[in-house]
Each structure stands twice: as structure tokens, then as C-alpha cells.
Amino acid sequence: MSVKFSDVTDFMEFIVHLGGIYDVDGEGYVINKNDEADPALIKIKNKYKSLMVIQEKIKDNDACIINPLNENLREAPDARWVYTNLSFGLTRRILEIFKFIKLAVDSPDIEWPTEVIEFVSKYAKRIDQHTLDHLYIIAKDRTEFLNVFYQRKFKRAKFRCKIFEEGIREEYPKVTKKSIGIITDVMTEILGLESKTGDYAKACSEEFESSSELLTTPKMDAILKTYYKIYSKLNKYLDMTEMEDPDFVVDMTSFGIHLSNIDKYYDKVKWFSGAVDTTDSSVTKPKEESRIPVSGVPLNNIPINPVDTSSKIPLGTCGGGMGYTNAPPRPMMNPGMASVLGIQQPMYNQFQQPINNFNQPSGIPIGNSMSNIPIGNNIW
Amino acid sequence: MIDNMPDNSVPTMINLGGINQGKAALFLFTPRQIVDHYKRPLMYNFNNEVATSIAENIVENPSMHGIDKVLKSPSVNSAIIPDSRNGIGLATSQYSDHWTFVAIVDESIDDHFASNAIVNRHILIGICGTEPIAQNGLSSATPEQFLNPNCQLIVTRKLMINRYSTAGVNGVQHNLKTITDTSTADYHTSVWNPANEYYSMSPECTIKSTVADNEGYTSIVDSSDSLNVKQSLQVSAPMESPRRHLKCILNGLDDANSKSLYSSQIGEFGDSSGLLGDQDENFEEYAKSSIAATDTLGKAVYYNQGGIDGLISTGYLSIGMINSQYCPKVLVIQTPTHTPAEIIPQYETSINNVFSSLVCACLPTYLNSVGLSAISFMYNSAADATQVLNIESVVASTQQDLHFKWGAFLYILQTELFPILIQNGNFDIQANCSVNSTTNVILNFLDFSPLPAGSVYEENSVLGGIVSPLIGTKAHMQQNSLQLNDLIKSISASSFYKNNLYGGTV
């Protein structure tokens, strides 16, 4: 089946939507789905540029064009943004599931469907606000909590979840053993993991491992295959949560079609030269709003803090330095939003305060470790 | 289909006839509308497939045909492509009021040992700084007496064509060969944006602009090498063809591999100390030095030491200087003031514009390499159908010679340009190129939206080095240098260097 260029544009919009917080407007610009006047920006060479999905005719030469299919030997800023966005979206969906469990547990008066009751009842007496607070501490770096990384040497993508890794308790001494146990149980259930030895990190890695046979776009192919496997498991629970945002439930049919057409999409966009990140780049995140108000946490419109990735720390040394991979950018303050942050009041409890003694394990990609930045106040 | 092509046939007439020593001519072309150009430098776009192909065919299985095998790989056709992200806007429309010129000088090589009367034809193409001729001279039969001797001739392209004779069983044959083809760019702040620095992006300059650091490679570009500082840059025009550019890099890598293998077995002092060396590191070092030594301009500099090039080397050339030394025949040619078609804005990024810019960059080089001065042709890839509509040579040629030259030109198109275009599906192209006028292209990819009817992509060939895709900004230079280093690192990390006997794992 031949594809049209509009199919490529649809694919680009699809992967933008997977992030959960962005949309693409009629001209191809990436915008905050909740605020059309809030464009997504990327910092390249000390300049903030609008992000735009690739189109057949590009009239804005100043925009950063998203074309992750043209894979260079070195990762381009727009590709990094895409992979970060994908990782961010996955984490956000997981968090929404946890929030839903808490909501369901706290709202026995609501007539929940049987499947919800079956799912939630197992955690009814175990999950509480502290659990969510602790989860938030672990997941404060959204792209680090859940991470799909690529091993160029083997052309394969793997999935890692921080909660399954050894040393999690030492890394987060404030997080209780009980909370880690509950989070682990929920995660293993929604990801459908089984392990006789209890080594869920290994099970997670093996279950969602994907490789690519494509010569031209192996990274995108392998990574999306892994996400496809993950969302195949998650979708049931995302659907269960009945979230207001329809994008949270992933359209697996479209996903599968896009996945099978990636090489054809590449043929359509290979004329568009890939960029090389010669300096630092960063991603700004637009504000996001909670869709399910949680008791005790007011809903507000204070924007989530933007991040900057100007760090010189080498990216993506996953797998013992197997090659530069799906490396999430490192955070920093977006100067454009500093004034907003200056007046922003923290709206979460003490357990959600950022921790600055984040102990970065060696060999693990450093992501948006939001040190010094109050985050996510309107999500919880 | 050819009806779409505007009647833009400027009489090139730079065919001065046979090459004869001492003959010189100065063609002056009246001003014509020149559009603002949006240059798209050639960018390295190396991916895993390219790296793997090079590793397999040049490093792991070295042979005489290793480079050819790589070049036959489809992936290399996307390895060097025009930049579609960040082009360079050039205010070239200010040259619309300027005359352009072509100066032709035939010179013999007096100090050459050869006895077969080698004669060189130098062709200089460029822009007149001021009015080159008084109004009265336009219709005069002897325009030489109306010339403005103080008119500066800004050279943008230099060619040297060599005529030599060979004797064989078929008797004496006269042959022509393009020896050098150089694009030159002078720095004028009104054309170039002073906020940027501009650099030559030849392979040797690109590889020199990177240094190793703890985290891999960092591109450090020396500002003193920029066009802004040097005021003038020369680039080897054949390198503007992606295929030739890539071949130059592959030659460097092939050479580096040979040196690396040799040094691994024979030490620096002829003993076996090389066995102890770290071969992949050696390869990286050799690759850098080999590519840096490609010296694509060296031949041009060597040949262009005397004669008319001696005049140019002073940095200033005027009509008076040429007149006093060569007393050229002057021909004034009225050109159309503009192209009678809708000119496509070059800054719009589309597949048509990106690859039309590539065609415009390559065609003059291909013409020069086979000794043609103008061509007009059509090609449809789906039917593999070609039609030539006009062809002109830089020397007097018989119809048979022109036929051969068209064949040679078509061969270059089919081996160097069309494989790049066909990567995006079948296409239809109509091109009209004159080395001393404009290059007009109507390029349609059948899988993409067609161009509006009656619209043409136009670049001015006379601008030479100014619009050369081998001169880019610092960002372009950095991107290419990092890509090239990534390629070298990727090859050196191939299984061959990691696993072979001398490499260190055993």
C-alpha cells in the first residue's frame, strides 16, 4: 500500500498526541492542547523555536521541523524532543491510572463498573495519599521513571521502569517500603509482568524488548514497537479510568498501521535533511491541567515548569554505554517562564517537594531530574 | 512538456571556436533580473546504513572496487543532500543592475616538456563591478574602443580546459579535458549577512574543524578561516556534486584503512611494533589526516600560477588589465531582462525547491566537466526518456563531438544526479542551463504535489561561488564536521577493528 504525504503528517501528529499534552494546529505547529496560544518551544543555539511537524511545503524556515524518521548517526534535537515526549506521555498515563485507583478507593459511593471494582479492590486497603506522594517523588522526573531506550549496536529498544530496579529504596530513603511494594504490585499488574524470581526489572526488559530490521529508521521503529507493546497492555486500564481526554486511550489500530508503514513514511521524508545537535537543546513543557480533581489538591492553571536541557552530561548511556540512545534531555529553568515561577506558590505537601540529593545511578540516562524546580502541582 | 519552459535562451556564444594560442575574447552581457537566492549548503546525512556499507566494503573486505560498491549502495544517495532546514538568504537581487562577463584566454604552456602543443583555455565568469562599456559601444562594430578600463571584473567561477594531442594507430587525435573548475566567492556585506560567518565546507576543511574531547568530538571552527576574514574563498566546483564529494571522503577512508592495516603489521620503524598498536584509534587518526589531505583545490592552485590567473591572484581584475595584456575581442550581447515565467520563491522548503537547488548547483559543474557551455534537456525517470533540446560547447565542435558530449553529460547525470533524485520516487525534469547565464529547472516528483503550471525554479549560474552549496555558515560547518567524525567513529567501532587479530580483543 502506498502512502501519501498526508499519512506522514498524520503519523507525526499521532506521535505528538502520544505525549498527552500537545496538539498540532492547522498549520502544523505543535501547541498545548489546552491552550492554542501556548506553542511548544525548543531551544536550539540559545534561540527558542516553534516546533512544527514536517509537511510537504514548509513555509516557516525558522521553525524546528519534527522529522525523527531521518536518523543520523547523531541524534537531532527534534528527534530527542519526540522521544522525550513519548516517554513523558507514558509516565503521565501511568500516573493517571494511580490517581484513578485512589479516586475509586476514596469514592465508594460511585457505582463503578465491575471490572473497575475488580481491579481497584485489590488495593483498596493499601493505597493512600502517601502512596501517591511517594510515587510522585520517584516519578518526579517523568522521563526517568519510565524509559524506553535504544541500543544502536543491536538495533533494539528496551523498557525500564525505575520502580523495579535494585537500590530504589536507597535512592529514595523517604519512600517507604510499603509504598514501593504497592507501586510495584500495581505496575506489574497493569504491565502484565510475571516473574518467578521476582526480578521484575529483567521481566520488564524482556517483555517489552523490540528490535528492528529496518536499515533506515531502526531507532524509531524499535522504540515505537516497544511503546506499542506497552500500550497494548495499558490500554485496558486507560480505558477503565474513563478519562476526559480521549487521547489518553491510545488508538492501537492507528498505531499498528503507522508502525507497519514507517519505512514508507521514511521514503516520503528522507529528502528533508536531518539536523545534528551541535549545541544544547531544551524542551519546554506547556501547562497541563488535571482532569480528575483529587481531594485536597485544588485545580489551577499555574503552568507546569518548563525544563531546559542545556546540560553537557552525555546522554543515553543506557545498557553500560551500548551507544547513544533514547536519551531524555536534562532539565533547567526556562528563562522565559522564570517570572511566572517567581510568583508561583508550591501547592503540594512536603512529600512532593523536590529532592535535591537525587542520586543518579551510573550508566542510566539522566532525564528531567527536576531539581530545584517545583513540579506538577496541578496534577495531584 | 517543454512548452512550460520559458524561452530563456540567452545566446551564450562563449564558443570562441578552436583553441589557439594567444586568442582572447571578452563577452559582456547586459544586465538582467537576478532573484534573491536562498542557498542550501550540502549537508552530511550519514546514517547507520551508510556507515555499515562503508565498514563492509572498504574496511572489512577491502578491494579495488570497494568504493564503487559503496557508491552503488542506495543509501549513499541520501548521504549528502541540500540543507532543508537552515538555508542562507543572499541579497543577490542587487546584482540585477550589473553586467556580467565571460573572459576567455587561450594560452600555451611554454615550459612544458610535451611536444604535442598543449594549449589551455581559461574561462573566467563573473560580474562587472561597474558599467563595462559606454552606451555608444553597444551598437558599435568595434566595441573595444568604448570599454571602461576601470571596470572591475569580479570573478565567480574559473575554468581551465586543456587541449592535448595523442598519436595512435588512428593518427593524431585532439582531446579536451577540463583541468580545473573553481568557484570563487568574495565577501560583500551587502550580500552576505554580517551576523554570520561563512566557511568553505570542502571535505578537507570540514574534517579539520573538529577536535576530540572527553565526550567524543566537538566542532571548533577557526574564525580566521571564514569568508568574513579572508574576504575571498575558493572551492573546488566538482565537490558541489554530492556523489563526487562523497567519493572524495571514501577515498580518504580507503586510504586510511590501508595505512591502518599496514601500520598494524609493520611498525613505524619497519619492525613488528605496530602489532601492539590500537588499530581503531589508528584508523581514526589516519582517516582524519587522509581526508584532510584530499586537497580538492590543490590542482587548481598548481595550474593557476601564471597567465591570466596571475592577474587574478593580485586580488583585483579590471577590463583594463585584461585589455592591456591580451587585447581581447569584445562582444556585447543583449540578454533578456528577466525570465518570462513565474519564478518560484527559493526560501520555501519543499522537495521541489530542495532538489531544484541541487540540480542548479550540479548542472554547471557537469557541463564544465565535459566541455559544454549550455544545455537544455528533458528527462522522465518513469519512462527513462530523454530529449536534448539545445547544446553548446565551449570550443568549436562538430555535431558528432556534440553528440559524444551529450552522451558523456547524460552518463554523469545518470550516475551522479538522477540516483539522488530517484530516491524520492519517479520524477520529471526539464532543465535549461547556461554556465554564463541562468539555470532554470522544472522538477516534479510524481509522488508529491506538482509545481504550479508556468512556474520555474531559477538560479543564476554567473553567481558561481556566491551561491555555491560548499560555502555555509558556522552551524553548517559544525554539523558536517560532527557528522563526518561520527561516521569515522562508527566505522572504527565496526566489528572488524574490534575483533581482528591485531585490534586488541584477542
Side-chain angles (χ1 to χ4, degrees):
Chain A
M1 186 189 74
S2 63
V3 299
K4 300 173 187 172
F5 203 91
S6 57
D7 297 325
V8 181
T9 307
D10 288 345
F11 166 68
M12 296 295 174
E13 291 181 8
F14 180 81
I15 57 176
V16 167
H17 288 158
L18 272 184
I21 51 177
Y22 294 110
D23 201 352
V24 179
D25 69 9
E27 295 180 347
Y29 289 102
V30 180
I31 54 169
N32 181 355
K33 69 193 311 182
N34 298 321
D35 183 359
E36 290 185 2
D38 184 14
L41 300 173
I42 186 167
K43 187 181 176 188
I44 299 175
K45 287 188 176 294
N46 297 320
K47 284 183 182 174
Y48 286 95
K49 292 189 170 188
S50 304
L51 280 156
M52 179 185 256
V53 296
I54 188 168
Q55 295 176 326
E56 198 167 356
K57 284 186 181 179
I58 298 158
K59 295 188 177 178
D60 185 355
N61 285 323
D62 291 330
C64 176
I65 306 300
I66 298 177
N67 179 23
L69 292 172
N70 202 339
E71 293 178 6
N72 276 321
L73 293 174
R74 186 176 288 243
E75 191 175 62
D78 58 298
R80 186 177 305 160
W81 183 90
V82 166
Y83 295 128
T84 304
N85 186 48
L86 289 174
S87 182
F88 193 87
L90 177 60
T91 304
R92 194 148 180 258
R93 286 179 172 87
I94 296 283
L95 295 179
E96 290 289 335
I97 291 174
F98 274 92
K99 281 165 58 181
F100 174 76
I101 296 172
K102 175 73 167 57
L103 178 69
V105 168
D106 291 346
S107 311
D109 301 337
I110 299 176
E111 290 187 11
W112 297 102
T114 311
E115 57 185 10
V116 172
I117 295 171
E118 284 180 3
F119 171 53
V120 170
S121 59
K122 287 172 276 189
Y123 311 104
K125 294 181 180 177
R126 300 172 65 194
I127 202 163
D128 55 18
Q129 187 60 42
H130 285 299
T131 311
L132 296 186
D133 294 343
H134 290 162
L135 171 64
Y136 206 85
I137 290 172
I138 297 170
K140 75 181 166 66
D141 179 352
R142 306 289 177 78
T143 54
E144 175 69 9
F145 176 55
L146 300 170
N147 186 264
V148 176
F149 61 95
Y150 177 69
Q151 295 174 319
R152 179 191 288 174
K153 187 174 181 180
F154 305 104
K155 287 185 180 179
R156 73 183 173 206
K158 289 194 169 189
F159 175 54
R160 61 176 280 273
C161 177
K162 201 167 192 174
I163 198 72
F164 299 141
E165 294 186 347
E166 291 181 14
I168 187 77
R169 287 214 62 201
E170 290 75 14
E171 190 174 336
Y172 300 100
K174 289 185 178 179
V175 178
T176 62
K177 187 178 178 181
K178 177 193 165 197
S179 293
I180 289 176
I182 298 168
I183 296 168
T184 302
D185 289 346
V186 174
M187 290 297 291
T188 52
E189 180 174 354
I190 62 178
L191 291 173
L193 295 177
E194 292 179 0
S195 174
K196 292 178 181 175
T197 61
D199 187 355
Y200 289 111
K202 186 181 176 185
C204 183
S205 176
E206 291 175 348
E207 176 76 22
F208 299 105
E209 179 181 316
S210 302
S211 58
S212 175
E213 300 297 322
L214 298 183
L215 292 171
T216 49
T217 53
K219 182 174 181 177
M220 177 57 87
D221 185 44
I223 286 179
L224 282 188
K225 279 179 180 171
T226 295
Y227 276 109
Y228 185 85
K229 289 181 179 177
I230 295 169
Y231 282 122
S232 296
K233 298 279 177 66
L234 280 189
N235 242 12
K236 179 175 71 176
Y237 300 96
L238 292 171
D239 192 38
M240 194 186 297
T241 55
E242 294 180 349
M243 277 171 274
E244 296 172 7
D245 185 352
D247 282 348
F248 263 70
V249 180
V250 180
D251 180 357
M252 298 308 288
T253 308
S254 297
F255 203 158
I257 292 171
H258 288 313
L259 206 48
S260 62
N261 284 334
I262 280 186
D263 53 339
K264 298 186 182 81
Y265 296 158
Y266 170 75
D267 286 339
K268 287 285 182 187
V269 298
K270 62 185 172 188
W271 62 272
F272 193 85
S273 55
V276 169
D277 192 7
T278 54
T279 55
D280 312 320
S281 66
S282 66
V283 179
T284 58
K285 287 186 293 190
K287 58 190 177 185
E288 55 183 346
E289 293 176 354
S290 172
R291 286 160 184 81
I292 301 178
V294 177
S295 59
V297 181
L299 186 66
N300 62 70
N301 285 323
I302 296 176
I304 191 167
N305 304 289
V307 293
D308 189 309
T309 58
S310 303
S311 170
K312 281 283 187 182
I313 293 177
L315 298 165
T317 51
C318 297
M322 292 283 194
Y324 287 74
T325 59
N326 173 24
R330 296 202 67 201
M332 216 176 74
M333 185 75 73
N334 176 357
M337 301 298 288
S339 58
V340 176
L341 297 173
I343 59 171
Q344 188 170 318
Q345 297 299 318
M347 304 192 71
Y348 31 73
N349 62 39
Q350 57 177 329
F351 296 107
Q352 292 171 308
Q353 295 289 348
I355 298 173
N356 294 329
N357 59 350
F358 185 82
N359 182 20
Q360 179 63 41
S362 59
I364 304 297
I366 298 174
N368 295 340
S369 55
M370 310 229 179
S371 54
N372 300 323
I373 304 176
I375 56 169
N377 42 32
N378 53 353
I379 286 185
W380 293 83
Chain B
M1 292 290 280
I2 197 64
D3 292 341
N4 294 336
M5 183 62 81
D7 180 14
N8 192 36
S9 54
V10 177
T12 57
M13 295 181 66
I14 65 169
N15 175 356
L16 192 58
I19 296 180
N20 291 295
Q21 178 184 355
K23 186 182 284 187
L26 178 64
F27 295 86
L28 296 171
F29 300 91
T30 55
R32 64 172 293 148
Q33 180 67 41
I34 296 177
V35 298
D36 281 333
H37 282 61
Y38 192 78
K39 183 161 69 169
R40 297 182 183 277
L42 289 179
M43 302 309 298
Y44 297 163
N45 194 38
F46 302 129
N47 57 22
N48 277 326
E49 198 177 1
V50 174
T52 305
S53 177
I54 295 173
E56 285 179 1
N57 295 305
I58 293 182
V59 176
E60 294 172 18
N61 305 298
S63 71
M64 288 181 65
H65 306 292
I67 292 175
D68 291 334
K69 286 179 183 174
V70 175
L71 290 174
K72 283 179 182 173
S73 162
S75 60
V76 301
N77 294 317
S78 302
I80 301 178
I81 54 177
D83 189 1
S84 46
R85 287 180 184 265
N86 303 299
I88 302 171
L90 297 168
T92 49
S93 59
Q94 62 180 286
Y95 289 130
S96 296
D97 298 332
H98 289 246
W99 289 61
T100 57
F101 74 92
V102 175
I104 299 177
V105 175
D106 292 347
E107 291 181 317
S108 66
I109 304 175
D110 297 331
D111 57 350
H112 203 281
F113 68 90
S115 61
N116 55 0
I118 293 179
V119 180
N120 288 331
R121 167 163 288 187
H122 297 268
I123 300 175
L124 306 180
I125 300 170
I127 301 163
C128 298
T130 52
E131 291 282 324
I133 191 167
Q135 188 69 27
N136 297 341
L138 295 178
S139 55
S140 170
T142 55
E144 289 83 356
Q145 58 187 313
F146 297 98
L147 287 177
N148 171 12
N150 294 325
C151 171
Q152 184 188 2
L153 300 177
I154 304 165
V155 178
T156 59
R157 191 137 187 164
K158 292 189 296 183
L159 276 171
M160 189 169 83
I161 295 167
N162 180 226
R163 189 199 70 174
Y164 62 101
S165 306
T166 53
V169 292
N170 296 325
V172 177
Q173 286 187 322
H174 299 295
N175 304 298
L176 289 172
K177 186 177 183 183
T178 302
I179 302 299
T180 64
D181 183 2
T182 314
S183 295
T184 305
D186 289 331
Y187 185 68
H188 298 286
T189 51
S190 55
V191 176
W192 305 87
N193 182 357
N196 288 327
E197 293 177 347
Y198 302 93
Y199 295 87
S200 165
M201 292 162 57
S202 61
E204 64 266 27
C205 293
T206 304
I207 195 69
K208 284 175 185 170
S209 68
T210 30
V211 294
D213 64 11
N214 292 335
E215 297 173 4
Y217 283 99
T218 301
S219 179
I220 297 179
V221 183
D222 187 352
S223 294
S224 64
D225 292 332
S226 69
L227 174 63
N228 310 46
V229 176
K230 289 189 168 181
Q231 295 292 306
S232 181
L233 279 183
Q234 288 189 40
V235 291
S236 177
M239 291 297 108
E240 293 170 359
S241 169
R243 179 59 68 104
R244 297 183 192 187
H245 196 115
L246 182 63
K247 191 169 184 180
C248 181
I249 293 171
L250 294 178
N251 280 328
L253 295 174
D254 190 34
D255 183 51
N257 187 50
S258 301
K259 288 176 180 172
S260 182
L261 288 175
Y262 182 78
S263 69
S264 69
Q265 297 167 50
I266 308 294
E268 188 180 355
F269 304 106
D271 55 14
S272 59
S273 60
L275 294 171
L276 305 175
D278 193 347
Q279 200 173 6
D280 57 329
E281 283 187 13
N282 284 346
F283 175 78
E284 288 184 36
E285 291 167 9
Y286 283 129
K288 284 191 150 212
S289 62
S290 293
I291 293 172
T294 48
D295 198 10
T296 52
L297 262 177
K299 192 167 67 171
V301 172
Y302 174 77
Y303 281 106
N304 298 341
Q305 288 177 340
I308 194 167
D309 286 298
L311 285 179
I312 301 172
S313 63
T314 61
Y316 184 85
L317 183 68
S318 68
I319 287 181
M321 291 164 72
I322 286 190
N323 216 12
S324 62
Q325 188 151 342
Y326 297 101
C327 197
K329 180 176 176 55
V330 176
L331 295 99
V332 179
I333 297 170
Q334 298 278 350
T335 58
T337 54
H338 65 280
T339 302
E342 186 183 343
I343 307 299
I344 302 169
Q346 296 182 10
Y347 61 86
E348 284 186 6
T349 302
S350 67
I351 186 170
N352 308 82
N353 273 7
V354 168
F355 284 98
S356 292
S357 76
L358 178 68
V359 173
C360 288
C362 291
L363 285 188
T365 300
Y366 298 157
L367 283 178
N368 293 337
S369 65
V370 296
L372 290 172
S373 61
I375 196 147
S376 182
F377 70 96
M378 302 159 60
Y379 177 77
N380 182 284
S381 68
D384 194 22
T386 313
Q387 186 171 1
V388 60
L389 304 161
N390 179 42
I391 185 166
E392 294 179 29
S393 172
V394 293
V395 298
S397 303
T398 63
Q399 283 296 312
Q400 189 181 19
D401 285 341
L402 288 176
H403 183 75
F404 285 142
K405 286 186 176 183
W406 162 247
F409 181 76
L410 183 60
Y411 176 77
I412 294 175
L413 290 178
Q414 288 176 334
T415 53
E416 297 193 18
L417 184 62
F418 292 165
I420 296 173
L421 301 181
I422 201 74
Q423 289 289 302
N424 304 295
N426 279 318
F427 62 93
D428 185 278
I429 186 172
Q430 303 168 42
N432 183 3
C433 176
S434 169
V435 294
N436 64 304
S437 180
T438 57
T439 303
N440 299 94
V441 176
I442 301 174
L443 174 63
N444 278 309
F445 290 92
L446 304 187
D447 294 339
F448 291 81
S449 301
L451 292 173
S455 56
V456 175
Y457 185 93
E458 178 178 283
E459 286 194 14
N460 202 301
S461 313
V462 180
L463 295 174
I466 298 172
V467 293
S468 170
L470 278 186
I471 295 178
T473 63
K474 195 174 193 174
H476 293 115
M477 184 72 159
Q478 287 176 326
Q479 177 161 338
N480 274 5
S481 63
L482 291 172
Q483 277 274 298
L484 189 51
N485 274 292
D486 284 346
L487 179 70
I488 293 169
K489 279 188 78 72
S490 178
I491 295 168
S492 70
S494 68
S495 56
F496 174 74
Y497 279 125
K498 291 300 177 193
N499 300 329
N500 83 58
L501 183 61
Y502 310 113
T505 58
V506 178

